[in-house]
Amino acid sequence: MAERVITRVHSLRERLDDTLIAHRNEVLALLTRIEGKGKGILQHHQIILEFEAIPEETRKKLAGGAFSEILRASQEAIVLPPWVALAVRPRPGVWEYIKVNVHALVVEELTVAEYLHFKEELVDGSANGNFVLELDFEPFNASFPRSTLSKSIGNGVEFLNRHLSAKLFHDKESMHPLLEFLKVHCHKGKNMMLNDRIQNLNSLQHVLRKAEEYLGTLPAETPYAELEHKFQEIGLERGWGDTAGRVLEMIQLLLDLLEAPDPCTLEKFLGRVPMVFNVVILTPHGYFAQDNVLGYPDTGGQVVYILDQVRALENEMLLRIKQQGLNITPRILIITRLLPDAVGTTCGQRVEKVYGTEYSDILRVPFRTEKGIVRRWISRFEVWPYLETYTEDVAHEISKELQGKPDLIIGNYSDGNIVASLLAHKLGVTQCTIAHALEKTKYPDSDIYWKKLEDKYHFSCQFT
């Protein structure tokens, strides 16, 4: 059997240099064609179109080689004759940057900062000095676990649970944070899961084994009400489940975590701990109502999507609360903008019940300036100056409506997510971000040519 040899991985520049030596004329023909487009930006599909437009014979010589691979992985090309720079994404989450001098066929590798600097020359021309403001956001992520494998992209919860397991559970004593959380976990001042009879990990483990043994003697469908008094005496409160069978499953999950922690068990256990009863969903812009709004500006599918989301969320919350053996009424508030000039809609109404739900409402809060309430609709691109004051007003209205804080804040769209971030920070509550339409992708090259769009879309304000 032939021995397999593992060789050094060549850099992008080295691989491209090899192709330039073997197929100099073919590469030159393509790059000259791209350079001929003049100063500007080519998107991925335009790069591919240029490649496919060269003669078939030339294309065949390049096909399967490093140069065609790089072109197919290039997400954007910056053309500043005689240079062409490429942003190459060889695999998910990995980026490399190069620039090629079309006349000399010289290849240079670029850092992110160098690539951005080169790109900005499209607008600003060649900068004479180096005194340019550069913001490096890397330190904000410094303490956050980062996936190094492409396969982890899209599996964030699983990745974070593996990280958490490794960090938390290196020995039995490291289970203390979980014990402390369960000891203080409550809803409206009433304990859930554990009471003060359990003070340490040994007593928790002892009580759980005792409960496991007892539950094994009961039919799985036995209601929790029949166990409640006995469980309270040994230190267990409601929240483990509504039947003996569910309580047993939950107790066995925690015993497994105490014995030999692993990320799958942790995810399953935390997913069943009762934590979310009051949810706030933010969507500040547009005419948000249930009748007569489709077709109005800044409304579109967001109304249908969020109303469907809320109905599904309420059903899921009710099911989970029942299965957790709790008697708690959930509440969902969709926070949107109140429009006094509601033009034939209910957008001037402070509270509106969501059709097909029991515990979900639309709560409307107006935009406000020092001159008073903004009465008319304004485009989603004009809302930015109002959002900080709006956040303060929303916090006050939520507090009145819920008689407390929400357990989860969900932001929709860029404006809703800014309010959600400010609100989550102010209240100390977990935030969930739903991105929806990312404005940059709707307006190609808006990051570099933002000044052309500034009057209408206020991108400088959005980006800041």
Side-chain angles (χ1 to χ4, degrees):
M1 185 176 169
E3 186 180 339
R4 296 186 68 180
V5 179
I6 298 175
T7 56
R8 178 171 76 84
V9 176
H10 292 279
S11 73
L12 207 61
R13 186 182 60 77
E14 287 171 327
R15 292 171 62 216
L16 202 48
D17 279 343
D18 291 343
T19 308
L20 289 175
I21 292 165
H23 300 290
R24 186 181 180 86
N25 292 338
E26 288 79 9
V27 172
L28 187 60
L30 177 57
L31 288 176
T32 304
R33 185 182 173 87
I34 290 173
E35 186 204 21
K37 294 283 172 190
K39 178 176 152 181
I41 301 175
L42 270 67
Q43 301 298 331
H44 172 72
H45 67 281
Q46 294 168 307
I47 299 168
I48 299 304
L49 282 174
E50 292 304 317
F51 180 66
E52 289 173 351
I54 60 176
E56 190 178 351
E57 193 180 325
T58 307
R59 214 164 55 238
K60 278 180 180 173
K61 287 181 182 176
L62 292 175
F67 190 67
S68 71
E69 273 180 45
I70 288 166
L71 281 182
R72 293 193 184 281
S74 294
Q75 302 305 303
E76 130 181 307
I78 309 299
V79 183
L80 273 170
W83 292 95
V84 174
L86 298 172
V88 186
R89 181 177 172 265
R91 59 188 184 279
V94 176
W95 289 84
E96 296 180 62
Y97 304 92
I98 55 169
K99 70 174 181 177
V100 186
N101 185 310
V102 178
H103 299 170
L105 281 192
V106 173
V107 182
E108 291 180 19
E109 289 184 86
L110 302 175
T111 63
V112 177
E114 287 168 341
Y115 178 78
L116 291 173
H117 182 78
F118 182 78
K119 187 176 180 177
E120 284 163 7
E121 285 188 30
L122 285 172
V123 175
D124 300 330
S126 184
N128 295 322
N130 293 319
F131 305 114
V132 175
L133 175 65
E134 267 188 55
L135 300 178
D136 179 6
F137 291 101
E138 193 74 17
F140 291 99
N141 294 333
S143 62
F144 198 78
R146 175 164 304 176
S147 157
T148 53
L149 298 175
S150 297
K151 69 177 184 180
S152 294
I153 295 170
N155 299 305
V157 172
E158 186 186 311
F159 170 74
L160 286 175
N161 277 322
R162 282 204 306 272
H163 176 82
L164 190 61
S165 296
K167 196 171 178 182
L168 274 183
F169 306 141
H170 45 82
D171 57 37
K172 190 179 173 183
E173 293 309 301
S174 60
M175 289 293 288
H176 272 296
L178 186 57
L179 172 64
E180 291 306 310
F181 164 69
L182 293 174
K183 277 168 62 180
V184 299
H185 192 37
C186 62
H187 178 69
K188 292 187 175 175
K190 187 168 171 53
N191 273 58
M192 291 190 287
M193 310 296 285
L194 304 181
N195 61 37
D196 56 12
R197 290 173 189 266
I198 293 174
Q199 289 300 318
N200 55 52
L201 287 168
N202 286 335
S203 63
L204 174 63
Q205 213 158 10
H206 174 71
V207 163
L208 292 175
R209 288 203 181 107
K210 203 169 166 182
E212 181 186 33
E213 199 177 307
Y214 171 64
L215 289 164
T217 66
L218 299 175
E221 63 278 3
T222 307
Y224 185 83
E226 293 183 24
L227 327 170
E228 186 167 13
H229 185 64
K230 190 177 181 69
F231 271 34
Q232 261 181 342
E233 284 181 349
I234 61 170
L236 303 179
E237 294 289 339
R238 280 183 171 269
W240 295 91
D242 60 336
T243 63
R246 282 207 180 88
V247 175
L248 180 58
E249 276 179 43
M250 191 70 167
I251 280 173
Q252 285 171 339
L253 282 173
L254 186 50
L255 280 169
D256 287 346
L257 277 177
L258 291 167
E259 191 68 38
D262 75 88
C264 294
T265 310
L266 177 68
E267 184 177 344
K268 204 177 281 187
F269 178 75
L270 291 179
R272 292 192 189 182
V273 173
M275 282 192 271
V276 179
F277 308 108
N278 293 323
V279 178
V280 161
I281 296 176
L282 284 142
T283 174
H285 70 257
Y287 286 87
F288 194 101
Q290 299 175 87
D291 298 307
N292 306 324
V293 289
L294 289 182
Y296 271 57
D298 286 351
T299 297
Q302 66 151 321
V303 174
V304 177
Y305 165 78
I306 291 168
L307 291 172
D308 283 348
Q309 180 194 49
V310 163
R311 291 185 190 101
L313 190 58
E314 184 183 289
N315 288 336
E316 181 66 22
M317 286 167 71
L318 287 168
L319 176 66
R320 287 194 185 202
I321 289 167
K322 178 191 170 297
Q323 290 178 345
Q324 287 155 351
L326 297 169
N327 185 24
I328 292 172
T329 302
R331 192 84 196 278
I332 301 174
L333 293 177
I334 301 171
I335 309 293
T336 190
R337 190 185 156 206
L338 186 138
L339 289 161
D341 297 345
V343 290
T345 72
T346 53
C347 295
Q349 193 175 305
R350 181 179 174 272
V351 179
E352 182 182 346
K353 177 65 66 187
V354 175
Y355 303 154
T357 68
E358 288 182 73
Y359 309 110
S360 303
D361 299 279
I362 301 166
L363 175 63
R364 299 187 181 88
V365 179
F367 285 166
R368 186 172 56 82
T369 67
E370 62 279 0
K371 295 175 184 173
I373 285 170
V374 180
R375 298 188 58 83
R376 61 183 182 83
W377 168 85
I378 52 175
S379 156
R380 70 181 188 276
F381 298 109
E382 306 283 348
V383 302
W384 302 91
Y386 303 96
L387 296 182
E388 289 178 27
T389 305
Y390 184 72
T391 300
E392 295 295 330
D393 294 344
V394 164
H396 179 67
E397 293 297 320
I398 286 172
S399 175
K400 277 199 302 189
E401 204 63 31
L402 296 179
Q403 295 297 298
K405 296 195 298 187
D407 304 304
L408 179 66
I409 294 171
I410 302 174
N412 289 273
Y413 300 90
S414 41
D415 54 327
N417 277 306
I418 282 185
V419 177
S421 282
L422 295 171
L423 205 55
H425 180 71
K426 181 183 175 71
L427 302 178
V429 171
T430 302
Q431 177 194 349
C432 165
T433 296
I434 301 178
H436 295 283
L438 297 168
E439 299 298 350
K440 184 183 178 308
T441 59
K442 292 170 102 177
Y443 306 94
D445 308 326
S446 59
D447 57 339
I448 193 76
Y449 295 123
W450 60 269
K451 286 179 186 173
K452 292 180 183 175
L453 304 159
E454 180 67 3
D455 289 348
K456 185 173 181 184
Y457 297 125
H458 308 288
F459 281 132
S460 62
C461 192
Q462 283 200 56
F463 294 159
T464 306

